[in-house]
Amino acid sequence: EVQLVESGGGLVQAGGSLRLSCAASGFTFDDYAIGWFRQAPGKEREGVSCISSSDGSTYYADSVKGRFTISSDNAKNTVYLQMNSLKPEDTAVYYCAADSPAYGSSWYCENGMDYWGKGTLVTVSS
């Protein structure tokens, strides 16, 4: 059974940083597509950053390029999202997601994935 557990959310002032973690189990971590999505109140879900082992690609949404970095520790089955220079518009529930690596990273961030965590709330105050 695939399980994804996010942690690291919280309240931070604009300009600050947070690092989200996603502990994964139930699949071969280095042979998967995995990524971070977010959903703000009243808005559609957005693919923030995704990695796919199908082509080794990494995708970032334009809204976070240069500020957010996705990384993984295969030994710990954990993926991270380092978020710097946070803005109030980054406020959202952030979800970790995973899927079989059939497509490139942009496809997953645009279309979603099969397995989801429960999310962690990030609030950026102005």
Side-chain angles (χ1 to χ4, degrees):
E1 178 185 6
V2 175
Q3 290 190 330
L4 302 164
V5 180
E6 304 95 337
S7 61
L11 174 64
V12 63
Q13 288 188 331
S17 298
L18 280 176
R19 188 178 79 158
L20 305 183
S21 299
C22 173
S25 61
F27 60 96
T28 304
F29 192 73
D30 59 355
D31 188 27
Y32 242 78
I34 196 160
W36 291 95
F37 296 75
R38 68 185 180 185
Q39 189 162 22
K43 295 189 176 181
E44 292 188 356
R45 184 186 68 200
E46 177 186 22
V48 175
S49 182
C50 297
I51 298 173
S52 176
S53 63
S54 69
D55 60 0
S57 64
T58 302
Y59 170 89
Y60 291 98
D62 287 344
S63 57
V64 306
K65 277 181 183 176
R67 300 188 298 122
F68 290 11
T69 303
I70 191 171
S71 63
S72 64
D73 185 335
N74 290 356
K76 295 183 178 180
N77 272 23
T78 300
V79 64
Y80 304 97
L81 185 69
Q82 178 66 44
M83 306 186 295
N84 299 328
S85 303
L86 283 161
K87 304 175 181 180
E89 51 264 44
D90 294 318
T91 295
V93 177
Y94 284 71
Y95 298 91
C96 177
D99 204 336
S100 300
Y103 306 102
S105 57
S106 61
W107 190 94
Y108 287 106
C109 263
E110 291 167 2
N111 293 282
M113 298 187 180
D114 280 350
Y115 303 101
W116 296 85
K118 293 184 177 181
T120 186
L121 176 63
V122 172
T123 303
V124 184
S125 63
S126 58

